[in-house]
Amino acid sequence: MSLADFSLEQIRNIGLIAHIDAGKTTTTERMLYYCGRTHQVGSVDDGTTITDWMDQERERGITIVDASVTAYWQDCQINLIDTPGHIDFTAEVQRALRVLDGAVVVFDASQGVEPQSETVWRQADKYRVPRICFINKMDRLGAEFEKSVESIRKQLSANPVILQLPIGAESEFQGVIDLINMQSIVWQETLDSPPEYQDIPPELNAAAQSARNSMIEAIAEVDDRLLTLWLENAEVTDSQIKAALRRATISNSLTPVLCGSAFKNKAVQPLLDAIVDYLPSPVDVGAVAGIDPKSEKVIERQPDPESPLSALIFKTVTDPYAGRLCYVRVYSGVLESGANILNPRQNRTLRVGRLERMYAEHREDIKQIGTGDIAALLGLKETVTGDTLCSAKQPLLLESISFPEPVIKITISPMTAQDNDKLANALQQLAEDDPTFKFEAEKETGQTLLGGMGELHLEVVLERLKREHGVTVRTGMPKVAYKETINQPVDNAEGRFIRQTGGHGQYGHVVISLTPDSSTDGVMFENSIKAGAIPAQYIPAIEAGITESSRSGVIGGYPVTGIKVSLIDGSYHEMDSTPLSFKVAAGMAFRSGLEAGDPTLLEPVVNCNVITPEEHLGDVLAQLANRRAEIEGISDRPGSIKSIHNLVPLSEMFGYATELRSATHGRGTFTMEFDHYAAVSKEIMRTMGR
């Protein structure tokens, strides 16, 4: 099949998102099997899944990178992206949601909403992505459907509407009751056993009828058309319920909830039906907005093959055999092999090479990528994540994708001098593929500094260096990505750069004020100078000098943030002033202001969630207290398990996994994600020797 076989209304661009180990990849495997895209089901434990194709994913049993596959169900094309669940790889979720039209959020029925569930839900909120909830692992010990739904309502502030009731739970889970068609669907244990459609068991009839009434009432509350029928006591047909539910889902007014057990091959087909029935097509999403690169006016492009081309690169991968592979979502027009297109960020015309339909790491050549489709291009060497591709005659710049800054760093050095060049090239490729991975040379030691989102993230990077690029490195101890700021405003920070040599000299004189501003990310510059004390042509050089100086603070050489800088005065010399002299003077003034502003360190604080058996709660709380954790709350989990929500400095979390395992006899686990930067106390700074 090809895109030409489908209308825009028949395309679904969706992603599976969830907390780690909720069953996303297993659910994806079953979906691909029932769609006929695979003829045997892979196992996460055995390392045989389609979407976890990297060696490290198969060895670790986790998803590390997005995997894109295309499948077909009920005369619809489903472009599906399986995303990672571990917080260290949350950027993969973010860039997928930027281009997807809908998502399936998978939950573990024995756990309900977990910490990373909240993170991916917020990311979907950011891009207003309509969602379906799939409460998975209904066969698992401790599975509680109603409690899981309630956690979605309370912890995610969502508006879930139940479409199915489970028949049994844990080892007794057999199937579901479809509340729209009012029938039960039962599955046998074997993979190829078809679903059996039966009457609802008599003992469940009353509960099913009550749940159906609640479902219709919930939909009617957000859909005027169904509300009118409901108030008139008119007969409401199944098709009217589905149409109203589709409208409510696409508008993010409601979130349909289904349940099942992907591992036991139960309730996957109804989930596929729900994706087709309730999640949006590109037509439902509507026009995409961008900016004219020249006039900066907002332009909208309708999802129409006849419209000018507009597409977004949301992921790049360096393939050792094929070269650079760019994943692209086309919003309007058609991307054809051999066509000339524009990258407006670079203002550069490109020629489209090979186009590929992706199936995890496998590919098949295609001739074009149509409106609403997701596929890949080969050969665009200088194109990066977030770049727009558009018609050269009618350019458009789409909103790019923003990523968080690294919070942890390590130093590395090559094992041999011959590996230096190879290392630099390898790091450059990895950084282009992963926007949350950064590297730089450490000025003091000459070593290379790697920055990432967590210890696991950097472990994976180091392993990729070794396996994919043949570079083995020595590593130093992890370092926290501190920042610097000031505690008090500085009114008149002065910088003079005066050099007199033979002929023309150098003269720059700058006076600035510095104001702490926690809402400012980095350093914000404003020109408040009056009466032309400094000519306008030198202002950009002054801003550049301050920006350059802000990259290294006065305490430990960390980046400076949270400061508003105003240029308030200065002077110039008609003969000796140059942009360079003002750039140097501005840097001197900025550093002088930092020194006078009671500088302080800021440290990254993570939102940490620790899961522990109740009998070890006291020991775990004592450990967290020793690590400067601020306990925000303790909640109950099934099976005498406690969940401890806390905020803790990242610098205190190195080695915590081993300590937690020891205290809980191997039963405790924890997750953490970056939350905010906070000032380091004077006492802690003294212990750090600063």
Side-chain angles (χ1 to χ4, degrees):
M1 293 186 183
S2 68
L3 184 64
D5 300 320
F6 299 93
S7 67
L8 280 172
E9 289 82 3
Q10 293 174 297
I11 297 174
R12 302 290 183 273
N13 295 313
I14 69 157
L16 267 69
I17 59 177
H19 182 88
I20 191 170
D21 201 34
K24 294 182 309 304
T25 301
T26 300
T27 304
T28 302
E29 285 290 315
R30 299 311 188 270
M31 291 167 71
L32 294 176
Y33 181 84
Y34 290 121
C35 287
R37 285 297 276 164
T38 57
H39 302 292
Q40 62 181 23
V41 171
S43 164
V44 173
D45 294 334
D46 296 338
T48 56
T49 58
I50 295 296
T51 52
D52 282 353
W53 57 270
M54 287 176 62
D55 289 342
Q56 289 198 69
E57 291 179 311
R58 291 175 173 171
E59 290 167 9
R60 296 172 185 267
I62 62 171
T63 302
I64 293 173
V65 297
D66 292 336
S68 177
V69 292
T70 298
Y72 308 96
W73 183 260
Q74 282 192 11
D75 298 322
C76 280
Q77 173 180 310
I78 300 176
N79 296 320
L80 188 153
I81 297 179
D82 180 25
T83 67
H86 197 285
I87 187 62
D88 281 15
F89 310 107
T90 188
E92 294 285 320
V93 183
Q94 192 159 323
R95 58 181 169 188
L97 288 172
R98 170 65 179 83
V99 298
L100 292 174
D101 300 330
V104 176
V105 191
V106 184
F107 299 89
D108 183 332
S110 68
Q111 303 297 324
V113 173
E114 298 179 87
Q116 187 66 357
S117 310
E118 298 182 39
T119 301
V120 297
W121 193 274
R122 288 197 306 269
Q123 289 174 316
D125 279 342
K126 176 181 177 181
Y127 295 113
R128 293 195 52 77
V129 176
R131 277 143 275 179
I132 289 173
C133 293
F134 180 59
I135 298 179
N136 191 28
K137 302 189 178 183
M138 282 300 304
D139 61 306
R140 191 171 186 171
L141 187 66
E144 295 187 58
F145 178 71
E146 293 82 3
K147 195 169 182 179
S148 295
V149 174
E150 192 58 25
S151 71
I152 292 170
R153 189 186 317 278
K154 288 185 176 179
Q155 292 178 240
L156 302 178
S157 300
N159 192 8
V161 57
I162 295 172
L163 305 191
Q164 298 172 342
L165 290 181
I167 301 175
E170 300 180 336
S171 61
E172 301 299 317
F173 178 66
Q174 303 171 43
V176 300
I177 295 173
D178 183 334
L179 297 178
I180 294 180
N181 297 319
M182 287 302 281
Q183 60 185 353
S184 67
I185 314 174
V186 178
W187 286 264
Q188 303 302 319
E189 291 290 331
T190 55
L191 180 64
D192 291 315
S193 296
E196 300 172 10
Y197 297 90
Q198 305 171 355
D199 291 336
I200 297 171
E203 66 273 16
L204 297 177
N205 250 321
Q209 190 59 56
S210 174
R212 176 183 166 87
N213 291 338
S214 297
M215 175 191 70
I216 296 174
E217 186 175 346
I219 301 170
E221 284 180 1
V222 297
D223 187 85
D224 291 342
R225 293 186 228 176
L226 191 65
L227 179 62
T228 301
L229 295 171
W230 183 253
L231 293 176
E232 293 173 353
N233 291 318
E235 184 70 27
V236 180
T237 65
D238 294 351
S239 61
Q240 288 171 326
I241 294 172
K242 285 186 173 182
L245 181 56
R246 178 177 178 80
R247 290 190 294 270
T249 304
I250 291 172
S251 67
N252 276 304
S253 303
L254 286 177
T255 306
V257 179
L258 299 92
C259 62
S261 170
F263 184 71
K264 293 293 182 68
N265 316 304
K266 295 178 180 178
V268 176
Q269 297 97 327
L271 175 60
L272 284 163
D273 291 339
I275 288 169
V276 169
D277 290 341
Y278 308 123
L279 290 180
S281 71
V283 174
D284 298 309
V285 174
V288 65
I291 295 173
D292 185 318
K294 294 180 180 178
S295 67
E296 298 190 353
K297 291 182 179 178
V298 176
I299 303 172
E300 287 193 345
R301 292 271 165 83
Q302 296 295 330
D304 185 345
E306 301 301 320
S307 296
L309 173 69
S310 61
L312 185 72
I313 301 291
F314 66 94
K315 178 181 173 71
T316 63
V317 176
T318 303
D319 188 293
Y321 304 105
R324 193 159 184 74
L325 188 69
C326 298
Y327 288 74
V328 64
R329 160 71 191 263
V330 176
Y331 288 96
S332 65
V334 177
L335 190 60
E336 295 182 317
S337 181
N340 290 321
I341 57 173
L342 178 70
N343 181 334
R345 181 185 66 83
Q346 300 174 328
N347 193 25
R348 183 175 177 184
T349 302
L350 309 169
R351 185 173 178 81
V352 180
R354 287 169 55 190
L355 303 177
E356 308 278 354
R357 172 76 60 207
M358 298 306 300
Y359 188 56
E361 88 260 49
H362 302 294
R363 304 184 295 268
E364 57 186 48
D365 288 343
I366 54 177
K367 294 182 179 179
Q368 65 178 35
I369 307 173
T371 296
D373 203 4
I374 291 176
L377 303 87
L378 277 169
L380 301 186
K381 292 183 179 179
E382 296 181 16
T383 304
V384 298
T385 298
D387 276 1
T388 300
L389 303 179
C390 64
S391 163
K393 294 182 179 178
Q394 294 174 279
L396 175 78
L397 188 61
L398 298 174
E399 180 187 356
S400 190
I401 310 173
S402 59
F403 297 100
E405 287 296 313
V407 296
I408 184 173
K409 296 182 179 182
I410 58 172
T411 56
I412 64 166
S413 56
M415 297 289 273
T416 65
Q418 289 80 5
D419 280 342
N420 262 321
D421 291 340
K422 194 191 290 188
L423 175 62
N425 292 333
L427 291 176
Q428 185 61 42
Q429 286 186 9
L430 291 172
E432 288 173 355
D433 294 347
D434 181 357
T436 58
F437 167 65
K438 309 286 186 186
F439 70 97
E440 61 182 330
E442 198 171 37
K443 294 177 182 178
E444 294 81 4
T445 64
Q447 290 180 306
T448 301
L449 202 60
L450 307 187
M453 301 308 297
E455 291 180 270
L456 179 59
H457 184 198
L458 292 180
E459 275 182 34
V460 168
V461 167
L462 293 174
E463 196 63 29
R464 290 186 67 186
L465 274 176
K466 182 178 179 180
R467 295 188 185 192
E468 298 173 22
H469 301 279
V471 181
T472 305
V473 296
R474 299 183 186 89
T475 61
M477 291 296 291
K479 298 180 178 180
V480 173
Y482 291 102
K483 293 186 179 182
E484 298 184 24
T485 192
I486 56 174
N487 287 319
Q488 60 188 37
V490 179
D491 292 331
N492 291 287
E494 194 169 11
R496 292 178 183 269
F497 181 65
I498 303 171
R499 295 287 185 274
Q500 194 62 51
T501 57
H504 289 300
Q506 294 281 350
Y507 183 94
H509 174 215
V510 172
V511 182
I512 59 175
S513 68
L514 289 77
T515 308
D517 184 357
S518 58
S519 65
T520 298
D521 184 17
V523 174
M524 184 174 71
F525 173 81
E526 68 174 9
N527 179 17
S528 301
I529 203 159
K530 297 177 181 177
I534 300 176
Q537 67 263 32
Y538 299 129
I539 304 301
I542 293 171
E543 183 175 1
I546 290 169
T547 300
E548 192 173 297
S549 249
S550 70
R551 294 174 189 152
S552 177
V554 295
I555 300 176
Y558 299 109
V560 179
T561 190
I563 299 178
K564 179 180 175 182
V565 177
S566 297
L567 175 63
I568 56 175
D569 202 0
S571 61
Y572 73 102
H573 189 281
E574 289 188 1
M575 297 295 292
D576 292 346
S577 287
T578 64
L580 176 61
S581 61
F582 274 102
K583 181 178 179 182
V584 174
M588 295 167 66
F590 183 71
R591 294 190 72 79
S592 171
L594 291 180
E595 294 280 7
D598 187 19
T600 188
L601 278 183
L602 298 174
E603 62 180 347
V605 175
V606 294
N607 191 331
C608 180
N609 186 262
V610 183
I611 308 297
T612 178
E614 188 171 9
E615 62 263 34
H616 302 299
L617 180 63
D619 292 337
V620 173
L621 287 173
Q623 288 178 348
L624 289 171
N626 289 335
R627 292 174 180 268
R628 295 193 283 139
E630 178 185 328
I631 307 300
E632 293 200 307
I634 301 173
S635 57
D636 295 322
R637 296 261 176 168
S640 298
I641 300 296
K642 294 292 185 179
S643 176
I644 308 168
H645 307 275
N646 62 96
L647 294 172
V648 59
L650 177 63
S651 60
E652 300 286 354
M653 295 305 288
F654 297 129
Y656 180 61
T658 302
E659 187 177 291
L660 179 64
R661 279 196 297 268
S662 176
T664 61
H665 301 166
R667 297 170 64 194
T669 60
F670 76 100
T671 57
M672 62 182 187
E673 71 171 303
F674 171 75
D675 191 86
H676 67 281
Y677 271 89
V680 177
S681 69
K682 299 293 185 184
E683 293 76 14
I684 298 296
M685 283 181 65
R686 278 196 292 272
T687 64
M688 296 169 65
R690 305 188 189 282

